């Protein structure tokens, strides 16, 4: 079967750095997406990785290792507004997105 | 104005009622999707449509039906609602065949079935 694993919840301090991991087992691979979702709101797109390595976008970076079935989202200089759930999703061989359950990130002052 | 608009935003109804959730988009995207989201679970795909004449079942289509009335409109129906269909429902769109294009979500419909 297809499976995406992420930690359920993480806590970090304002101004610090946090890494959210995602491991996956899917039927084929056409890229991995990270989305941010504030409580009760729509998911919004953060990043896309299809090749191994690190993609940097301001305070957010995303890393992919296809051989390990592993990705992480790195958030730097954390702000209170970063408190949200972070969703990992993999596009499989049928070009369908398989979603993880999301990681709830709590930022403390 | 929102690019992907869902109506209604909230709905409370009773078991056995027929309910329609509507989605319209101004992004010009060919592909549209319906998901449901439950606490502790990932987004689960109900139905998807690659164009007006192409509609496909997703992971959890039982108890649901859809209609693609136009490129811009995709409706989800619950023929006879039951309490375990209580969830947050999202419509999403994406462009055509390009790999790596993200899906864009509406603001969601919170549905409660009593």
């Amino acid at each position: 079967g297809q499976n995406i694993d992420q930690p359920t919840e993480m806590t970090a301090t304002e101004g610090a750095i946090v890494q959210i991991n995602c491991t996956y087992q899917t039927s084929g691979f056409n890229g991995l997406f990270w989305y941010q979702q504030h409580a009760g709101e729509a998911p919004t797109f953060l990043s896309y990785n299809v090749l191994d390595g690190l993609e940097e976008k301001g305070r957010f970076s995303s890393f992919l290792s296809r051989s390990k079935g592993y990705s992480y989202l790195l958030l730097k200089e954390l702000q209170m507004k970063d408190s949200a759930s972070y969703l990992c999703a993999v596009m499989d061989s049928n070009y369908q997105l398989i979603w993880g359950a999301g990681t709830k990130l709590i930022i403390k002052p | 104005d929102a690019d992907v608009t869902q109506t209604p935003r909230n709905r409370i109804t009773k078991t056995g009622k027929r309910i329609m959730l509507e989605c319209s988009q101004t992004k010009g995207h060919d592909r549209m999707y319906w998901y449901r989201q439950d606490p502790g679970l990932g987004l689960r795909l109900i139905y998807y449509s690659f164009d007006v004449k192409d509609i496909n079942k997703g992971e959890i289509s039982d108890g649901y039906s859809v209609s693609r009335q136009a490129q811009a409109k995709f409706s989800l129906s619950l023929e006879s609602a039951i309490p375990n269909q209580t969830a947050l429902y999202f419509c999403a769109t994406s462009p055509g065949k390009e790999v790596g294009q993200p899906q864009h979500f509406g603001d969601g419909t919170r549905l409660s079935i009593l």
Side-chain angles (χ1 to χ4, degrees):
Chain A
Q2 308 204 91
N3 195 50
I4 311 281
D5 285 319
Q6 309 177 231
T8 302
E9 187 174 296
M10 299 181 69
T11 302
T13 304
E14 189 176 17
I17 299 172
V18 70
Q19 177 175 310
I20 301 174
N21 295 326
C22 171
T23 57
Y24 63 89
Q25 290 179 306
T26 56
S27 303
F29 180 83
N30 282 302
L32 186 145
F33 295 81
W34 284 97
Y35 281 76
Q36 180 190 61
Q37 185 179 24
H38 286 100
E41 298 184 9
T44 55
F45 169 72
L46 289 177
S47 68
Y48 171 73
N49 294 69
V50 67
L51 299 177
D52 290 351
L54 188 68
E55 295 278 344
E56 297 186 77
K57 227 187 240 188
R59 294 190 299 115
F60 292 7
S61 303
S62 56
F63 172 83
L64 176 67
S65 169
R66 289 173 296 170
S67 63
K68 295 182 179 178
Y70 168 69
S71 174
Y72 67 73
L73 181 69
L74 191 72
L75 290 72
K76 302 177 184 176
E77 302 169 13
L78 286 170
Q79 302 174 9
M80 298 303 293
K81 68 179 182 179
D82 297 330
S83 292
S85 289
Y86 292 85
L87 314 181
C88 173
V90 173
M91 183 169 281
D92 69 8
S93 56
N94 293 319
Y95 299 95
Q96 295 303 321
L97 281 181
I98 310 301
W99 295 83
T103 298
K104 183 178 181 180
L105 178 62
I106 299 168
I107 309 295
K108 295 186 174 179
Chain B
D1 288 339
D3 295 322
V4 183
T5 303
Q6 292 185 233
T7 56
R9 292 294 316 279
N10 293 280
R11 178 79 184 270
I12 301 173
T13 192
K14 295 182 178 179
T15 298
K17 294 290 187 182
R18 184 178 188 273
I19 302 160
M20 180 180 285
L21 308 183
E22 301 197 12
C23 178
S24 62
Q25 52 118 346
T26 59
K27 300 187 76 68
H29 289 169
D30 287 329
R31 299 184 174 193
M32 299 186 74
Y33 309 82
W34 276 105
Y35 290 97
R36 67 177 278 176
Q37 187 175 40
D38 298 274
L41 298 177
L43 288 162
R44 290 185 292 167
L45 184 63
I46 305 171
Y47 270 94
Y48 62 102
S49 171
F50 284 174
D51 65 41
V52 174
K53 296 181 180 179
D54 182 13
I55 294 178
N56 304 279
K57 292 182 177 180
E59 176 189 357
I60 53 162
S61 59
D62 287 349
Y64 301 95
S65 62
V66 291
S67 173
R68 185 86 184 261
Q69 300 95 324
Q71 188 210 32
K73 295 183 182 295
F74 193 36
S75 300
L76 176 72
S77 293
L78 287 69
E79 297 302 325
S80 179
I82 55 177
N84 77 1
Q85 292 178 312
T86 293
L88 182 56
Y89 288 83
F90 286 105
C91 173
T93 73
S94 68
K97 299 178 181 178
E98 298 86 359
V99 175
Q101 293 296 320
Q103 293 182 9
H104 300 263
F105 287 80
D107 288 334
T109 295
R110 189 168 296 280
L111 180 62
S112 296
I113 300 165
L114 307 178

